[in-house]
Amino acid sequence: MRVLVVDDSERVRRTLATGLRSHGMAVDAVADGADALAMLNGLSFDLVVLDLMMPRVDGVQVLQTLKGWAQKPRILVLSARDQVQDRVEALNLGADDYLVKPFAFDELLARLLALGRRSVAAASPELRCGPLTLDTARQLGRVDDTVLTLTPKEYALLELLVRRKGHLMSRAVIFEQLYESDSAASDTVIEVLMSTLRTKLSRAGLRDLIETRRGFGYVVT
């Protein structure tokens, strides 16, 4: 999943970016609402972690702007404002969840994963594709009774393809979903990632799960 963190605290941005990337997410981070809206206008994000109290354009203004969009990412408000009216206002403006600072990272991660499941209309934390099962809450994959030992990026790639089963995805589109906008890598890294993932799936008995269509991309059928 691709996440945009919007918070004027450098410490919060750094902590969230490091933590979420360790779970295979692609994370971009900005310090105020103006930069957030610019990013959201140019790139596609699955989730936004949004502070309310920021300079220039605050979180409320961001919510007001996004409310009029036909398609927008799921939004988790992360704020020091802890009054009921603050939560009500944010939720009425289109926020999908609200978490008060200070917060536990594990809880924030669980809430984001839950929002991610809602984004693809999958209420259950488990995704199944033949003998393959993905536990999206624990970010764990297994083939029958064999647990797959995957890196965060390998897991993220596998979950992305399974969630979009039947949909052909180009290397460039996959790269955009798995890596940050300022990543020094190029989309050729997807070929390397795909190779290591296929090797691990093959060892577990799944040799033909991911189909390559030369010149077009990859698909799970």
Side-chain angles (χ1 to χ4, degrees):
M1 288 188 292
R2 188 163 191 175
V3 184
L4 178 61
V5 174
V6 190
D7 199 296
D8 63 343
S9 166
E10 182 181 356
R11 180 183 61 81
V12 171
R13 294 196 307 273
R14 184 172 59 250
T15 297
L16 291 183
T18 300
L20 295 176
R21 285 169 185 160
S22 74
H23 287 270
M25 298 183 187
V27 184
D28 287 288
V30 294
D32 63 62
D35 289 340
L37 290 173
M39 291 282 284
L40 290 165
N41 268 309
L43 298 169
S44 176
F45 290 90
D46 301 296
L47 303 167
V48 176
V49 180
L50 180 66
D51 188 18
L52 293 182
M53 296 182 290
M54 295 181 293
R56 294 205 295 168
V57 176
D58 64 20
V60 171
Q61 291 171 286
V62 172
L63 289 172
Q64 289 170 333
T65 301
L66 295 180
K67 192 174 183 180
W69 290 17
Q71 292 185 325
K72 64 183 181 68
R74 297 285 184 180
I75 302 169
L76 169 66
V77 169
L78 180 64
S79 176
R81 295 183 182 177
D82 60 357
Q83 300 301 305
V84 171
Q85 59 264 33
D86 297 319
R87 298 189 189 94
V88 170
E89 180 184 21
L91 294 170
N92 284 340
L93 285 173
D96 298 281
D97 200 355
Y98 195 110
L99 185 61
V100 175
K101 297 176 181 179
F103 62 95
F105 176 79
D106 286 348
E107 181 181 2
L108 180 138
L109 175 63
R111 287 174 182 248
L112 287 179
L113 293 173
L115 288 179
R117 292 194 294 273
R118 286 168 57 185
S119 297
V120 293
S124 170
E126 283 197 350
L127 296 175
R128 294 183 181 275
C129 185
L132 173 69
T133 301
L134 298 181
D135 183 336
T136 62
R138 295 191 296 161
Q139 297 183 296
L140 180 69
R142 68 177 186 274
V143 177
D144 293 324
D145 295 326
T146 302
V147 175
L148 298 170
T149 306
L150 303 176
T151 67
K153 285 299 187 193
E154 289 168 350
Y155 175 85
L157 172 59
L158 182 57
E159 182 179 324
L160 176 64
L161 291 170
V162 170
R163 283 193 184 280
R164 302 192 184 182
K165 181 180 177 182
H167 294 273
L168 186 65
M169 300 191 70
S170 69
R171 190 174 71 184
V173 168
I174 293 172
F175 180 81
E176 182 178 297
Q177 289 295 309
L178 298 187
Y179 289 87
E180 297 76 28
S181 59
D182 61 352
S183 173
S186 72
D187 63 6
T188 57
V189 73
I190 300 302
E191 293 183 1
V192 177
L193 198 59
M194 191 69 70
S195 176
T196 59
L197 174 60
R198 277 180 162 148
T199 297
K200 293 178 180 181
L201 289 171
S202 180
R203 288 172 182 165
L206 270 183
R207 292 175 176 78
D208 303 313
L209 178 71
I210 304 170
E211 178 185 346
T212 299
R213 297 187 183 172
R214 296 294 178 188
F216 293 95
Y218 307 94
V219 62
V220 168
T221 56

